[in-house]
Amino acid sequence: MDGRLYQFDDDTQAGEIEGDDGQRYPFDFSQWRGRGLPSAGIAVRFALRDGHAIQVFNRPETQRRAISTRDVHGKTRRKQLSHWALAAFVVSIAGLSAGRYAPIAEVLALVLAWAGLHQVHRNPQRFNGYALSGAAIAIAVGVTLWSQW
């Protein structure tokens, strides 16, 4: 059965668990099989015997996704901006003032944006740049259409 530790008294080494069914079940420290020491609010799993909780342990949790990664020296690595996405954005902006060569610059920007999207998609824990590549694509298409008028 699943529940939460309602309270635990360190002096008496006893406590209560509130089960998912709303009932409270007493237990003592000799039945604790969880990580660390019991304290109020911990999600637990337990069995029942004669109205008492036995074999009490921490409820298994799903693994959470890592927010950051570490290098071999233990330093936190931050995500890097894709250099392809940045280049695509710069070239698409430069295409605004390229005059009659704007479509060529914007095609180059589209190729660079595709490379940036590919890089971010292949290694999302290391790179970011979806938004910058998307902006470069939007600018490139807009400038190309505008220059054709």
Side-chain angles (χ1 to χ4, degrees):
M1 177 180 280
D2 290 339
R4 289 205 171 277
L5 278 174
Y6 181 72
Q7 58 92 15
F8 185 79
D9 184 11
D10 291 332
D11 295 331
T12 62
Q13 299 288 297
E16 283 185 322
I17 298 172
E18 185 170 357
D20 286 345
D21 60 358
Q23 299 286 338
R24 290 192 186 154
Y25 302 100
F27 82 102
D28 58 35
F29 188 67
S30 65
Q31 294 299 320
W32 179 249
R33 306 288 185 264
R35 295 180 309 272
L37 296 173
S39 63
I42 295 176
V44 294
R45 186 165 284 167
F46 60 98
L48 288 175
R49 183 185 304 150
D50 300 327
H52 287 76
I54 60 171
Q55 302 292 322
V56 180
F57 60 93
N58 302 80
R59 186 168 42 211
E61 297 179 12
T62 58
Q63 186 171 353
R64 288 178 261 155
R65 187 174 189 175
I67 296 173
S68 63
T69 57
R70 298 188 183 273
D71 63 9
V72 294
H73 304 293
K75 293 182 181 177
T76 302
R77 289 187 351 194
R78 293 179 45 203
K79 281 187 172 186
Q80 298 174 346
L81 180 61
S82 169
H83 55 279
W84 296 110
L86 182 60
F89 186 75
V90 169
V91 169
S92 68
I93 294 296
L96 289 170
S97 62
R100 67 180 185 172
Y101 298 108
I104 296 169
E106 300 308 337
V107 167
L108 177 61
L110 289 172
V111 170
L112 292 172
W114 176 85
L117 289 173
H118 183 71
Q119 183 181 33
V120 174
H121 179 73
R122 297 282 297 200
N123 204 347
Q125 65 274 13
R126 187 168 172 210
F127 293 105
N128 58 15
Y130 277 120
L132 201 57
S133 291
I137 290 170
I139 292 169
V141 169
V143 168
T144 302
L145 292 175
W146 177 64
S147 68
Q148 298 300 315
W149 289 33

